[in-house]
Amino acid sequence: MEFDLSKVEVSKNDIKRGVSIPLFLTEELAEFLGAFVGDGHLGLNSGRYGKNTYTHYEINMSGNVEEKDYLDYINDRFNSVFCIRMYYLKQGKNKAISIKIDSKGILHFLHKICDIPLNFKTDSVRIPTIIKSSNIRIKCVFLRGLFDTDFSLTFKNKNFRGYTYPVIKGSFASKSLIEDLEELFKDLTLRHSVIYDIKEYDKRSNKYYIKHAIY
């Protein structure tokens, strides 16, 4: 299926840099979308500087300096899809690092074609419609990206037999994302369980948040 790009606007700067907007869903795009649903951010911000107005079209993925190899890998996927690379940005004095780029065309594509929410996606993000309506292979590649960024693997001491029972868990603020994952897991015949409305404490903010988990 070919994408309808009639609503995707590209800037003169996009054209100058050789930015390419894809016409079809590929495995590289699907894996990038999975990772972006997990750790990505679309920022559309405008304002005024003196007499001039400005608009930032920010595409950003956050991580840790110890995960730079993975960010390199995702940047390669991004480049194969959009024909441009994101640049690295160190954040503060801690180990946080991000890859980002400003692009009107790519932001419009990710928002209008791939259903990625703007600015604050934590509570509302869900699996893109183009993924849900795709074939099994594309769904699996999308999950690989999401698992790499936002799932964990632990070993439980089940029945007191030692820590040998593997558990894969994804925890999200978006209830809609968990519901979409349930449907996707059913399509892939993956046995799973879910828990909704978990109250979790975050030491960094000293606040409680509601999360939803799928195992």
Side-chain angles (χ1 to χ4, degrees):
M1 180 182 69
E2 187 174 337
F3 296 140
D4 178 9
L5 301 182
S6 60
K7 295 181 180 180
V8 176
E9 299 177 37
V10 297
S11 67
K12 292 181 180 179
N13 195 32
D14 286 335
I15 296 171
K16 182 179 179 180
R17 293 181 295 172
V19 170
S20 175
I21 304 300
L23 286 172
F24 302 97
L25 180 58
T26 62
E27 291 187 13
E28 290 82 5
L29 175 56
E31 186 172 9
F32 171 77
L33 287 175
F36 200 80
V37 165
D39 275 349
H41 171 74
L42 287 185
L44 179 60
N45 303 293
S46 59
R48 180 179 292 276
Y49 185 76
K51 295 181 179 181
N52 300 316
T53 59
Y54 65 86
T55 302
H56 288 311
Y57 302 92
E58 180 186 337
I59 298 95
N60 188 322
M61 273 196 68
S62 58
N64 187 286
V65 291
E66 296 174 358
E67 303 168 329
K68 186 176 181 299
D69 286 347
Y70 182 70
L71 289 176
D72 289 342
Y73 174 79
I74 289 300
N75 209 356
D76 287 341
R77 291 290 180 270
F78 184 87
N79 184 52
S80 69
V81 173
F82 299 107
C83 297
I84 193 170
R85 302 187 72 84
M86 291 187 275
Y87 62 89
Y88 289 84
L89 183 66
K90 201 170 181 182
Q91 298 174 324
K93 296 181 180 180
N94 55 24
K95 293 184 177 182
I97 190 174
S98 65
I99 49 177
K100 65 180 295 184
I101 193 171
D102 281 5
S103 169
K104 182 177 183 178
I106 297 174
L107 182 139
H108 277 200
F109 175 80
L110 292 175
H111 177 55
K112 296 180 179 181
I113 304 299
C114 303
D115 304 328
I116 305 296
L118 294 174
N119 295 328
F120 300 104
K121 72 176 180 63
T122 305
D123 296 332
S124 60
V125 69
R126 57 192 314 164
I127 295 178
T129 301
I130 59 174
I131 298 294
K132 290 190 284 189
S133 61
S134 64
N135 60 49
I136 293 297
R137 174 66 184 175
I138 289 292
K139 291 176 181 177
C140 287
V141 173
F142 171 86
L143 280 179
R144 181 167 65 198
L146 184 60
F147 273 51
D148 281 344
T149 52
D150 249 358
F151 275 71
S152 63
L153 170 64
T154 57
F155 290 87
K156 303 294 185 181
N157 186 8
K158 189 175 183 181
N159 299 324
F160 303 100
R161 295 179 179 177
Y163 292 90
T164 59
Y165 188 78
V167 177
I168 299 173
K169 173 189 174 183
S171 180
F172 303 93
S174 172
K175 189 173 185 179
S176 297
L177 180 55
I178 295 291
E179 292 170 345
D180 286 348
L181 284 169
E182 275 202 273
E183 292 302 315
L184 189 51
F185 282 19
K186 290 176 184 177
D187 288 345
L188 301 174
T189 64
L190 294 175
R191 294 177 59 189
H192 62 279
S193 60
V194 297
I195 301 178
Y196 289 103
D197 302 315
I198 306 167
K199 194 174 183 180
E200 291 186 354
Y201 176 71
D202 189 331
K203 293 181 181 179
R204 295 170 297 180
S205 61
N206 194 30
K207 293 180 180 180
Y208 284 93
Y209 295 93
I210 298 300
K211 293 288 189 73
H212 317 282
I214 188 163
Y215 301 81

